[in-house]
Amino acid sequence: MTISPIFPVYSPININFSYGKGIYLYDIDNKRYIDFHSGIAVSSLGHANPRLTDVLKLQGEKLWHISNTYNISTANKFAENVINNSFANTVFFANSGSEAVECGLKIARAYQNGKGNKNRYRILTFHGAFHGRTFLTCATNDRQKFSELLNPYIDWCDNIEPNIESVKKAISNGIGVILIEPIQGQGGIKVMSEVFMKELRELCNENDILLFFDCVQCGAGRTGKLFAYEHIVIKPDICALAKGIGAGFPLGACLTTEKVAKYMAVGMHGSTFGGNPLATSVGNAVLDELLSPGFLENVKIRGKSLKNKLEDLASKFPMIEEVRGKGLMLGIKVKMNNQKFAEELSHRGLLTVGVTSDNVVRILPPLIITEEEIDEGIEILTQYLSEKF
């Protein structure tokens, strides 16, 4: 057997895309697809977005990369933009969500060690969690997501049921940080309850445990707020952001407060490419667009409309058990293999995310989607359900 040129850790659907425009993708035969996938919640402003293309061209003609050993004006501007629209006082730029989460966990360790709590090195996460694919983030995920070949996992990570009683039983002097997605993405579009999240914040306050929100997928406007936690009106101590904030350009960010960050010193963390001029120029343009008048409100409106139409389909077709989510981070739980469901839809011209736990198909269109484009996608889904079931 000959190994594939691309390392064989993916199982791609056999469709080759040639170009994209707005919410549409086109394959090499020029067949058009409606993109309710967005590269797994990444292409927040659609494909070949004119503003982002212009920004990238302009910056590319001036300066691609310089080291963080020098001041980078685009990074400084982006940091101020992020800070002014979040709970944070400071931000570290990375290249991905996994890196942003890793950074936050290192910050949490430095905080507890800096306060003399060197026994508080354990990390608490929740069933259904997905925080990345680095060695440490694999250990923070729901253990069912990874092969036994990765055992033994890093042993200072605990994974429990997402309820406050389980948390109370689990916390001890050994827990230094609690890491949670306000809405689990790969875990099945599971929205954490407002009551649970508020209780978690109070428990962390009482025990000097840091609360770390992973908003890699549920951030960057995906839910109709810049960060999903804003729906609950509580604030984390640390927050990871990636995916949609770069709209397709590799970009991640780890946000925190001065109180928490003060124990991180020069040399304790870094990134060769993180925060370079290309990435932060794009990030600035994306964030400006997300924060433009009416943009996030429109995401809420479109999200509510799409969810209502999916719920209407669920009432007509028992194949759909449940509709979940918030804003344009939605999912349908189906009564068949979700990956097969998504693949069959893709051949009909509708792209969704089938690689999800709990037999959920994720529906993550670009945030610029119109009502007419929603109806196009719903029509394909309706025809599929009508003919197949």
Side-chain angles (χ1 to χ4, degrees):
M1 184 178 71
T2 302
I3 194 168
S4 66
I6 294 177
F7 202 71
V9 292
Y10 305 109
S11 181
I13 295 171
N14 190 26
I15 302 174
N16 294 313
F17 294 111
S18 176
Y19 66 99
K21 186 174 182 181
I23 75 147
Y24 299 105
L25 283 167
Y26 299 81
D27 68 17
I28 55 176
D29 297 316
N30 214 38
K31 178 181 175 180
R32 191 178 79 168
Y33 298 77
I34 299 173
D35 190 3
F36 278 21
H37 187 294
S38 297
I40 313 183
V42 168
S43 303
S44 51
L45 300 183
H47 302 283
N49 181 281
R51 180 178 181 185
L52 299 189
T53 301
D54 288 345
V55 165
L56 195 56
K57 284 180 179 178
L58 181 62
Q59 185 61 50
E61 291 171 350
K62 294 195 297 185
L63 184 63
W64 286 29
H65 176 77
I66 51 175
S67 168
N68 286 295
T69 55
Y70 300 95
N71 283 321
I72 302 174
S73 59
T74 56
N76 290 332
K77 178 183 175 183
F78 188 35
E80 290 173 1
N81 207 357
V82 171
I83 289 165
N84 290 338
N85 291 282
S86 73
F87 72 97
N89 306 120
T90 188
V91 57
F92 177 87
F93 294 126
N95 310 289
S96 68
S98 295
E99 289 179 48
V101 173
E102 285 266 0
C103 176
L105 294 174
K106 185 183 283 188
I107 290 169
R109 176 69 66 87
Y111 172 82
Q112 296 294 359
N113 283 353
K115 296 193 71 177
N117 301 323
K118 292 192 175 182
N119 61 323
R120 290 195 175 193
Y121 59 86
R122 300 194 69 82
I123 301 163
L124 191 63
T125 64
F126 299 94
H127 292 344
F130 183 83
H131 298 293
R133 296 185 187 275
T134 63
F135 225 60
L136 176 55
T137 54
C138 280
T140 64
N141 294 339
D142 190 317
R143 295 295 169 84
Q144 296 179 359
K145 292 182 182 296
F146 286 89
S147 167
E148 285 298 307
L149 291 173
L150 289 179
N151 270 335
Y153 289 96
I154 294 170
D155 65 2
W156 24 272
C157 300
D158 300 320
N159 189 261
I160 65 170
E161 286 290 339
N163 61 67
I164 201 64
E165 293 307 316
S166 295
V167 176
K168 287 178 179 178
K169 290 177 183 177
I171 62 171
S172 66
N173 288 334
I175 298 296
V177 59
I178 296 176
L179 173 60
I180 187 170
E181 300 158 274
I183 303 176
Q184 289 183 343
Q186 189 157 333
I189 309 295
K190 294 177 182 174
V191 181
M192 296 297 156
S193 79
E194 183 172 340
V195 171
F196 172 55
M197 295 294 277
K198 287 182 176 178
E199 289 176 332
L200 204 56
R201 177 69 275 178
E202 291 172 4
L203 200 61
C204 286
N205 291 345
E206 292 166 3
N207 293 275
D208 197 20
I209 295 170
L210 297 181
L211 184 56
F212 184 174
F213 286 169
D214 180 342
C215 287
V216 167
Q217 188 168 153
C218 63
R222 175 60 48 186
T223 66
K225 296 281 190 181
L226 190 57
F227 301 92
Y229 68 80
E230 293 179 278
H231 293 283
I232 316 168
V233 199
I234 61 171
K235 297 178 181 178
D237 300 298
I238 308 171
C239 183
L241 183 64
K243 287 190 179 286
I245 197 61
F249 199 98
L251 178 61
C254 183
L255 293 64
T256 190
T257 63
E258 183 175 7
K259 171 189 172 183
V260 174
K262 67 181 180 180
Y263 298 102
M264 292 290 287
V266 172
M268 288 179 66
H269 200 56
S271 172
T272 297
F273 299 107
N276 76 20
L278 279 178
T280 50
S281 292
V282 172
N284 271 311
V286 172
L287 191 54
D288 285 347
E289 192 68 20
L290 296 179
L291 295 173
S292 63
F295 188 96
L296 292 176
E297 184 60 31
N298 193 60
V299 172
K300 291 181 194 175
I301 292 168
R302 296 290 168 255
K304 184 176 181 180
S305 172
L306 179 52
K307 190 175 185 182
N308 287 342
K309 289 172 181 179
L310 291 170
E311 288 174 339
D312 184 55
L313 284 182
S315 70
K316 297 173 182 175
F317 297 98
M319 173 53 63
I320 300 177
E321 285 188 53
E322 185 184 356
V323 179
R324 303 173 178 175
K326 191 180 289 289
L328 288 170
M329 185 176 179
L330 300 172
I332 54 174
K333 182 175 171 63
V334 296
K335 294 180 179 178
M336 64 176 282
N337 181 278
N338 56 340
Q339 293 185 47
K340 183 179 180 183
F341 189 99
E343 184 168 357
E344 290 181 351
L345 276 179
S346 71
H347 293 307
R348 290 170 175 259
L350 178 62
L351 306 176
T352 56
V353 187
V355 185
T356 313
S357 298
D358 203 25
N359 235 36
V360 167
V361 175
R362 278 179 279 180
I363 297 175
L364 308 165
L367 306 183
I368 59 170
I369 194 167
T370 65
E371 197 65 28
E372 292 74 22
E373 291 164 342
I374 287 174
D375 288 340
E376 282 187 64
I378 290 293
E379 179 60 27
I380 293 174
L381 182 54
T382 303
Q383 289 178 359
Y384 170 68
L385 290 167
S386 299
E387 294 172 15
K388 188 85 175 178
F389 310 106

